[in-house]
Structure formats: C-alpha cells, structure tokens
Amino acid sequence: MIHATNFVRDKTFQANHLDVYDTSSSGWYTNLPPLLESQKAALVGLEDYRTELFDKHDMDADSTTHTIRDAPLVVQIAGHDPDTMLEAAQLILERAAPNAVQGIDVNLGCPQTIARKGNYGAHLLEQDLDQACRVIHKLRTHLPFQVGVSAKIRLPLEERDLDHRIASLVHAGADLLTVHGRTLVENKTAVQHCKLDQIARAVQIARQTSGNPTYPVVANGGIEFASDIPRILETTGASAVMSSEALLEHPGIFAQASESESSQNQQPQQHPNEYMERQFRYAREYMEWAILVPPVPGSLGRRGGSFNVIRGHLFKFLHRYLMEHPDLRDAMGDQTTCTIAIAQTIVHQLYERYHTNVIQWDTLVSSQPESTWYRRHRGVNTQFIHRRKTSHNELPGGTTEQLTMEERKERARQRIQKLRDTKQGARLPELAVKGAVESSAAI
C-alpha cells in the first residue's frame, strides 16, 4: 500500500515504495534501476553470487526462454483527497514500466490507528462514504480506460448499511470490489468469524446494481487452508478469493488449492516433515529472488530497510521453527543480522536441526496446528477456526465483548493511567531514600 500524499510530495518516498518492473522480455534485468543504498546493504557479500544467479536462471541478454509475466498487477493507494489520489495514481503509471500496471486499488479496508489519523482506509469508508465515492469516481473518470479501478473494503458496523455501501461504490465507478468479511473493529486484536453470508450479500447487490451478472467481487477473510478456497467461492458466489495472512506463511496456497487439507480438522493432512521441507524451500527461493531483485525499503529504514523487509518474510515462512529454537529466532531478529548472507546462514542452521536429527515429529510443538503464523494470536484450546484470542475483552465462556471505538479508547486510557500510577508508586520509596540521604549530608 502506498500513501498517496507522501508519494506525491516526496521523490525519495517514491523510490523507496514503488518497485514495478517489466519482466516480460528477455534480458529484463538489464533494465533494472540502480540499486538504492538499502538494497546494496542487504546484498553485501553476495554481489558476485548475484551475477551467477542471473546466469543460473538463464537470464542473460540473449535469452528468449526465461521471461516472467505476472499480471494483472494492481497497485494499492491510500488517501481521502480525490485530486491527490489521482495525482498519485498517474505518477505510479508514469514511473512503472509501460503497461506494467493494470489497475489502481483504493484502500478502504485498513482498520489501523494510523489510517484513522490519516482519514483513509476503513475509517474513511465508515465516516464518509460520499468522500470515498468521490475518490473512486475521480480515478475512474480520469485514468485510462484500460487501467482498472477497484476498492478493498470492510463490512459496515451496522449490517443494514451494507446494501447502500456496495451500491454507492459501484455507482461511483468501481470496476471491482474486494470485500473483507469483518468490520472496522474486528481487527488483529479482536477478530471474529468471517461473515461469509454478508460477502454473499455484497456479491448479489454489486451484480444487481451494475446490471452485470458477472460483476467481479473478491471474497477476503478466513482463508487458512487451500481447501478453504473452493468452500468460500461456493458459499459466497464471489468471482475470486484473496488471502492475506495465510499467504504470507504459505505463498503457494493458491497453486496447491487442490491438495488435501481439512479445515474441518483444523490441520493439514501433510506430514510435518513434508510441511517443514516446503517452508524452508519457500525461504530459500525467496532469498534467491531477493538477491536478484532486492525489495525497496519502504518505511523500514534508509540503510537497513530492504533487509528488514526480507527478514519479515523469513519470520513468517519459518515462524513455527524459529519459535521452537529461540536462540536462532533471536539471532534472526538481532540488529547485527543485516544482510541476506547472514540470514542464509541462520536459515541453514535452523534447517540442519531438523534435517540431521532423528525426530519424533508428532512430539514437536512445531508440528501442532496452533504453531502456525496464521494462529499466532490464538489460545491453546481453540474451538473456532476464525476466532483469535483477545486478552482484554474476552468474556467468560469464550465469547468476545463488542466494544465501540470510544469504549476501546477509554479502556486504553485506563490501562495507561494504571501503568503511570504503578510507575509513580515505585518511585516514591526511591524519592524518600534520596531525601533522607540529602538531609543526612546537610547535617
């Protein structure tokens, strides 16, 4: 996601956040822009190996057999001002390779506090639907017709508002809608069941409003296993499915949608050893691609940002194994681990602990379903597949209390005040002793 205002104002921000390249022709890597300082820092010690990798993948200038086509490619932007959003979208199309970007998506689903402060994401949609529609209309009216305009949204706090929300966005000109089946308050710390029935309703309204029986609506939320994909498609009638958290740990989930995984049992049928091999394969392949095309740093640091992006992905691929070996988890997170070469060594050491030892796989914590990245927020005795543990608003019996935004703010203020009172109470004896010492010294 790219913040539109920052992207328009700052050329450095542009360079640090947009990396869209045309890889559809042979020798594509010869047209890559110069590496940023952060990207060079991540590659220290691997400069020669990077050249070897290009040769290994047969990506030299004479190659006609190894090209990459990843389309459609959509860039998501966030903001609330129609003119600024349009300018950001036009800049993205100008800076990207010709015809590399097929769509601009408007972020109307982010529930985070930063989105509330910036008046974008789900907060904009909840507070000012008309303004959100003005953004969509501006983009659709002024961008080239071959560039799609879409929006990623959440369900309204009041279910009765769903029909009007969907119809308004379609009328504004959205070519596609992605519907996350949770509301603004159901974020990472208070996630409830994904409401597939409301996604199905959104599909119905979008198609009725547009007059297009195949109007594209993407269902989002509640994807943990590959077997969830056909189930959600069938239940909602959506055109496609989007995954976020599960995909970060298992990027091949769509390619393996036919594999036998059971969401009913909450556990894949894959043997833990095979699962382990797959996750380490993801990590190795990702690091090789990161050597070829290091990620831009985003907002994660001018010097170390590129590697911080890489580190974040490695933690997700290998979450259950790093948690089982805290020494290597700490090593991966240490600030001295700042290059891909060092990360490769840590990943190899972690792999060897599983690969070279005789292991009773069923006894390992990493073999249990609760150890995945997707389930990291959940309690041990989980009964519902799409509900995560919340420490401060879970009621007896496992149900979760629904709080308004103001109630959540008030509870946060109370917790902060309690911490301050505790800290102040701890300082009183210290101040008393200090006063006694000063009095003795004066005497």
Side-chain angles (χ1 to χ4, degrees), residues 164-306:
H164 178 60
R165 174 173 294 187
I166 298 299
S168 297
L169 292 168
V170 172
H171 281 309
D175 300 308
L176 176 150
L177 293 175
T178 298
V179 183
H180 185 159
R182 299 185 179 96
T183 69
L184 169 63
V185 298
E186 294 168 342
N187 58 17
K188 290 183 179 180
T189 59
V191 177
Q192 298 294 300
H193 300 279
C194 182
K195 301 178 180 69
L196 299 182
D197 58 331
Q198 291 194 46
I199 296 178
R201 177 65 181 172
V203 171
Q204 180 184 0
I205 296 303
R207 291 173 180 171
Q208 287 177 356
T209 303
S210 66
N212 177 5
T214 61
Y215 181 94
V217 178
V218 180
N220 176 229
I223 303 294
E224 182 175 10
F225 302 123
S227 58
D228 289 326
I229 295 170
R231 175 180 63 83
I232 290 177
L233 284 172
E234 180 178 1
T235 302
T236 64
S239 312
V241 167
M242 176 184 289
S243 171
S244 54
E245 295 218 339
L247 194 68
L248 290 171
E249 182 175 17
H250 180 11
I253 191 169
F254 288 106
Q256 299 176 11
S258 61
E259 71 184 36
S260 58
E261 290 185 338
S262 173
S263 58
Q264 295 291 329
N265 296 329
Q266 303 183 12
Q267 183 172 332
Q269 299 300 311
Q270 203 168 20
H271 188 276
N273 183 35
E274 296 174 344
Y275 191 101
M276 182 273 294
E277 292 286 352
R278 183 188 73 186
Q279 294 306 117
F280 276 91
R281 183 173 69 253
Y282 287 151
R284 295 190 198 98
E285 290 181 1
Y286 173 70
M287 285 190 288
E288 289 213 346
W289 279 108
I291 293 170
L292 289 168
V293 187
V296 291
S299 301
L300 297 181
R302 186 177 63 87
R303 174 72 180 173
S306 181

Side-chain angles (χ1 to χ4, degrees), residues 331-346:
M332 183 67 78
D334 192 89
Q335 62 179 357
T336 61
T337 300
C338 55
T339 67
I340 301 174
I342 299 174
Q344 286 178 319
T345 300
I346 295 172

Side-chain angles (χ1 to χ4, degrees), residues 401-428:
E401 181 180 5
Q402 290 295 303
L403 302 177
T404 67
M405 186 63 69
E406 289 305 316
E407 288 171 335
R408 292 171 62 202
K409 288 180 183 177
E410 179 58 30
R411 291 200 177 185
R413 284 192 287 266
Q414 291 173 0
R415 289 195 300 273
I416 293 171
Q417 187 59 49
K418 185 177 180 180
L419 289 172
R420 286 174 176 168
D421 293 343
T422 301
K423 186 175 180 180
Q424 182 65 24
R427 290 188 62 208
L428 289 177

Side-chain angles (χ1 to χ4, degrees), residues 339-357:
T339 67
I340 301 174
I342 299 174
Q344 286 178 319
T345 300
I346 295 172
V347 169
H348 177 72
Q349 290 172 347
L350 183 62
Y351 178 74
E352 287 298 303
R353 294 189 182 183
Y354 293 94
H355 182 66
T356 60
N357 296 320

